């Protein structure tokens, strides 16, 4: 397939390439959800419910640009809405990607062209708003659960993920703005458009290389290493080392946990249940607080 | 030169491609550097993923960590492909779904 000039490879790429871009965009939303789920897993630890854990905390004040908004009481309702808002981004992002793929050959997309008669402008606005809300709720969640998350150094992980998501995002914005004002020009055999997209791809490749190094320290595996309990059989050593890797990878690829969480979050009565939980908890904790204060 | 390139000749990475296609040097250099970085990023993050999967003591957390780590190869491969076969992904010369 890699044979020079082999038409099969070029054709395969030609068919796969547009979908690869969609897959990348879709994975962006999915990754943000996974990051939030990881934070939840850290907070909850071995057992316990995140909402109940956070309900005992004082209300969270919004950070600077929106500090005029009333403080939010962390608790089951807040956690449910954070889940919903992050999930909303994980749904909208792939949806926009698929719609762009459909609209582009119809000539309705107008990529990197902020014309009101083309879809790209509206897609950009929708994605921006969606990203903003998802990120804002993540920040609020982090502020609420700061103490629980402290020993997992979430800020490094946040930046490691955020830098992928938002470098690419702002790069794209910057390049399309530069393109709009026709700052970038074609070079050699490359058209202006190819050059601007290629610039972005090049930047992403460099960033991915740097991030793969950063990840070795941020998502280190050493803390998960446990003393070897079973001595490997001397026969088939490679297979015995290889088998758990395959099994665990299958467990990772399986999306059952994500789907069940999403179903739980999107259920109609989820809001009611959370509200009830929070009310019960607040009335209980208020009594406790009074008891301690007096 | 242009038509030869569009035909998709050449491997893309490495010196042999220079013998096959007549590209400008800087263009070949961009492909080589980008491809090298993408391969290095993929290998690095795949090694880390395998290390996590070998010591899978906390499935709930590590499952999510591995999914997050998978982002690096996905982004690297996608970016390299869309740079190397840019006339396909840009849709400037060959529109998708044209065949």
């Amino acid at each position: 397939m890699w044979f020079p000039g082999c038409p099969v490879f070029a054709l395969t790429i030609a068919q796969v390439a547009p979908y690869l871009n969609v897959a990348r965009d879709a994975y962006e939303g999915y990754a943000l959800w996974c990051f939030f789920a990881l934070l939840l897993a850290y907070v909850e630890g071995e057992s316990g419910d995140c909402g109940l854990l956070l309900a005992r905390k004082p209300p969270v004040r919004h950070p600077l640009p929106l500090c005029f908004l009333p403080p939010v009481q962390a608790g089951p309702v807040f956690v449910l809405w954070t889940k919903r808002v992050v999930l909303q981004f994980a749904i909208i992002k792939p949806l926009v990607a698929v719609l762009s793929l459909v609209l582009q050959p119809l000539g309705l997309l107008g990529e990197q062209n902020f014309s009101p008669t083309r879809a790209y402008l509206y897609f950009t606005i929708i994605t921006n708003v969606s990203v903003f809300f998802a990120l804002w709720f993540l920040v609020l969640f982090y502020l609420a659960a700061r103490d629980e998350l402290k020993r997992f150094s979430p800020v490094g992980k946040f930046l490691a993920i955020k830098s992928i998501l938002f470098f690419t995002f702002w790069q794209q914005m910057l390049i399309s703005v530069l393109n709009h004002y026709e700052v970038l020009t074609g070079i050699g055999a490359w058209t202006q458009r190819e050059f601007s997209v290629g610039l972005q791809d090049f930047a992403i490749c460099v960033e991915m290389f740097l991030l793969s190094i950063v990840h070795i320290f941020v998502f280190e595996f050493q803390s998960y290493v446990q003393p070897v309990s079973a001595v490997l059989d001397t026969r088939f050593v490679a297979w015995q080392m290889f088998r758990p890797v395959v099994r665990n990878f299958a467990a990772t690829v399986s999306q059952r946990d994500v789907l069940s969480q999403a179903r739980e979050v999107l259920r109609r009565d989820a809001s009611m249940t959370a509200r009830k939980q929070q009310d019960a908890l607040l009335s209980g904790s208020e009594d406790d607080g009074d008891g301690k204060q007096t | 030169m242009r038509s030869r390139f569009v035909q998709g000749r050449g491997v893309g990475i490495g010196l042999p491609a220079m013998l096959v296609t007549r590209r400008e040097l800087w263009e070949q250099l961009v492909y080589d550097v980008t491809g090298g970085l993408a391969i290095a990023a993929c290998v690095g993050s795949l090694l880390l993923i395998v290390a996590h999967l070998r010591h899978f003591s906390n499935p709930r957390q590590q499952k999510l960590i591995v999914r997050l780590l998978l982002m690096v190869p996905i982004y690297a491969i996608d970016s390299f492909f869309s740079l190397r076969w840019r006339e396909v992904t840009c849709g400037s010369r060959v529109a998708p779904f044209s065949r």
Side-chain angles (χ1 to χ4, degrees):
Chain A
M1 236 160 90
W2 282 97
F3 191 72
C6 173
V8 175
F9 188 68
L11 195 66
T12 319
I13 291 291
Q15 285 166 343
V16 165
Y19 302 105
L20 260 178
N21 266 321
V22 172
R24 192 186 77 179
D25 279 357
Y27 209 85
E28 200 175 307
Y30 174 72
L32 199 72
W33 169 261
C34 280
F35 177 69
F36 175 61
L38 183 64
L39 290 188
L40 275 179
Y42 282 150
V43 172
E44 291 180 4
E46 295 302 315
S47 61
D49 184 84
C50 187
L52 302 183
L53 280 171
L54 294 183
R56 296 190 197 95
K57 302 256 174 153
V60 186
R61 294 176 59 193
H62 285 264
L64 196 56
L66 291 181
C67 48
F68 54 86
L69 290 174
V72 186
Q73 172 62 50
V77 176
F78 169 71
V79 172
L80 177 71
W81 277 102
T82 312
K83 282 179 185 171
R84 281 181 173 170
V85 169
V86 177
L87 194 64
Q88 159 276 131
F89 177 62
I91 292 170
I92 284 184
K93 185 75 195 175
L95 209 66
V96 166
V98 170
L99 277 179
S100 323
L101 184 72
V102 174
L103 291 183
Q104 191 177 12
L106 300 177
L108 295 172
L109 182 64
E111 202 182 341
Q112 312 214 335
N113 170 14
F114 296 107
S115 155
T117 55
R118 295 284 181 272
Y120 186 72
L121 174 69
Y122 305 106
F123 283 171
T124 309
I125 292 172
I126 290 172
T127 322
N128 260 314
V129 171
S130 178
V131 161
F132 172 75
F133 275 106
L135 199 67
W136 195 259
F137 270 75
L138 262 182
V139 169
L140 284 181
F141 180 81
Y142 164 67
L143 290 176
R146 191 187 259 168
D147 298 334
E148 282 82 359
L149 290 171
K150 198 173 275 171
R151 69 197 171 94
F152 299 104
S153 60
V155 179
K157 295 185 168 73
F158 195 76
L159 289 180
I161 299 308
K162 211 179 93 112
S163 59
I164 301 186
L165 296 180
F166 295 94
F167 265 141
T168 56
F169 182 73
W170 287 113
Q171 254 160 230
Q172 199 174 354
M173 293 301 293
L174 177 71
I175 287 176
S176 35
V177 166
L178 286 182
N179 238 346
H180 187 66
Y181 292 109
E182 300 181 351
V183 177
L184 301 175
T185 55
I187 287 185
W190 297 41
T191 61
Q192 178 207 4
R193 206 184 132 68
E194 282 175 351
F195 179 63
S196 64
V197 175
L199 198 65
Q200 199 188 343
D201 289 329
F202 182 74
I204 291 178
C205 273
V206 174
E207 283 158 18
M208 287 305 116
F209 174 68
L210 296 177
L211 269 179
S212 71
I213 294 170
V214 169
H215 279 177
I216 293 172
F217 303 103
V218 173
F219 293 106
E220 40 83 45
F221 69 97
Q222 282 85 352
S223 59
Y224 294 102
V225 176
Q226 286 183 329
V228 183
S229 55
V231 180
L232 291 180
D233 193 349
T234 46
R235 294 169 299 166
F236 314 121
V237 174
W239 170 241
Q240 287 173 60
M241 279 164 64
F242 185 60
R243 200 170 49 173
V245 170
V246 173
R247 197 180 50 221
N248 294 333
F249 188 70
T252 306
V253 170
S254 153
Q255 300 297 320
R256 204 169 294 156
D257 56 332
V258 174
L259 289 178
S260 75
Q261 252 172 333
R263 208 174 297 138
E264 199 179 302
V265 166
L266 295 178
R267 251 194 2 229
R268 195 165 294 180
D269 60 336
S271 195
M272 200 97 89
T273 318
R275 171 71 58 193
K276 265 181 205 159
Q277 261 183 345
Q278 183 151 340
D279 287 346
L281 215 73
L282 281 181
S283 60
S285 66
E286 265 168 25
D287 294 345
D288 287 345
D290 290 346
K292 274 171 199 164
Q293 275 166 11
T294 49
Chain B
M1 178 189 128
R2 190 66 236 170
S3 65
R4 272 192 163 206
F5 179 72
V6 172
Q7 276 167 17
R9 314 192 76 195
V11 192
I13 314 168
L15 283 173
M18 287 182 75
L19 305 176
V20 181
T21 50
R22 259 188 265 143
R23 275 187 210 116
E24 286 174 55
L25 183 65
W26 68 269
E27 200 176 341
Q28 187 59 46
L29 209 64
V30 164
Y31 290 151
D32 284 351
V33 169
T34 317
L37 288 174
I39 288 173
C42 287
V43 169
S45 53
L46 284 180
L47 285 178
L48 185 59
I49 286 171
V50 169
H52 268 290
L53 292 175
R54 276 188 65 191
H55 306 282
F56 212 57
S57 59
N58 190 336
R60 188 179 169 197
Q61 291 176 10
Q62 284 178 292
K63 223 191 259 185
L64 297 162
I65 288 177
V66 169
R67 287 173 188 164
L68 289 175
L69 291 178
L70 273 175
M71 237 167 120
V72 169
I74 289 178
Y75 270 62
I77 290 172
D78 176 72
S79 305
F80 175 65
F81 273 25
S82 83
L83 184 74
R84 172 62 185 78
W85 286 276
R86 61 184 195 285
E87 62 279 284
V88 178
T89 39
C90 282
S92 50
R93 259 178 270 274
V94 186
F97 305 116
S98 63
R99 320 179 191 211

